[in-house]
Structure formats: C-alpha cells, structure tokens
Amino acid sequence: MPTFRSAWNWVFGKHLPKPPNPDKTVEAGWVPVWQGPMLTELLKDEGVPAVWTEDFNLNMGVYNREAMARIFVTEDRKAEAEAIIKDFTGTSPRHRKL
C-alpha cells in the first residue's frame, strides 16, 4: 500500500529519472550554420548518427548575430555528441532558448 511519503515524493518529483530513449531525437547543439555540416560529418565519423538543420530566426540580434544551425541526435547519444562537439570547437555547445 502506498504511503503518504511515497505519494508526496511522486507528486513533487522525487522519483527516478527515465533512462534515455534511443527512439527520441534531441538537440545536441546550436552552432553557427557554417559549422553544422562539418560537425555533423564529424559526429557520423565517430559513430554518432546526427543531422543538422538551419535555424531560421526572424530576430537575428536577440540570441545570435549570424545564421545558426541545430544539430540533432538520439537522446541516448546526446552526452557523447556534446562531448565530441566540445572537444572539436573548444567550447560547450549552446542550446537555443525557446
């Protein structure tokens, strides 16, 4: 029988996180558009399936000053992809604020 404490923990988020889903696609990085194809090929060469797309933003000066691209990978490979991008570019990949 569930106790009051277990119900309290369930409601307020004190439960184990779900494991990464290999069928879910997530953003691994938000990079300048000229780096998109280069980093995607680098990730593929390292064995991480990845795709990139241009990020069309009407407000160029809000978060960035140049055309940007998003790199997508599966959720279970996100940490690996971010580490590869960081090793190659020297900085942690940014993520687009929504």
Side-chain angles (χ1 to χ4, degrees):
M1 180 172 157
T3 63
F4 176 74
R5 181 176 299 276
S6 65
W8 183 266
N9 288 341
W10 179 80
V11 169
F12 291 103
K14 296 188 180 201
H15 51 279
L16 295 175
K18 294 180 182 177
N21 184 355
D23 295 328
K24 185 177 178 184
T25 304
V26 295
E27 178 185 305
W30 190 53
V31 297
V33 75
W34 63 272
Q35 290 181 355
M38 179 175 54
L39 290 172
T40 302
E41 288 302 316
L42 176 67
L43 290 170
K44 288 180 184 178
D45 291 344
E46 295 290 329
V48 179
V51 296
W52 73 279
T53 183
E54 289 185 49
D55 186 21
F56 296 101
N57 187 0
L58 296 176
N59 303 321
M60 275 302 244
V62 175
Y63 295 117
N64 59 327
R65 302 213 182 264
E66 61 186 322
M68 300 295 279
R70 287 177 161 196
I71 298 175
F72 293 98
V73 296
T74 56
E75 191 175 38
D76 61 333
R77 307 296 293 269
K78 180 180 177 183
E80 183 181 356
E82 288 177 341
I84 292 170
I85 293 171
K86 182 178 181 180
D87 288 342
F88 186 77
T89 61
T91 60
S92 295
R94 295 186 301 167
H95 296 280
R96 186 169 191 276
K97 298 175 184 175
L98 296 177

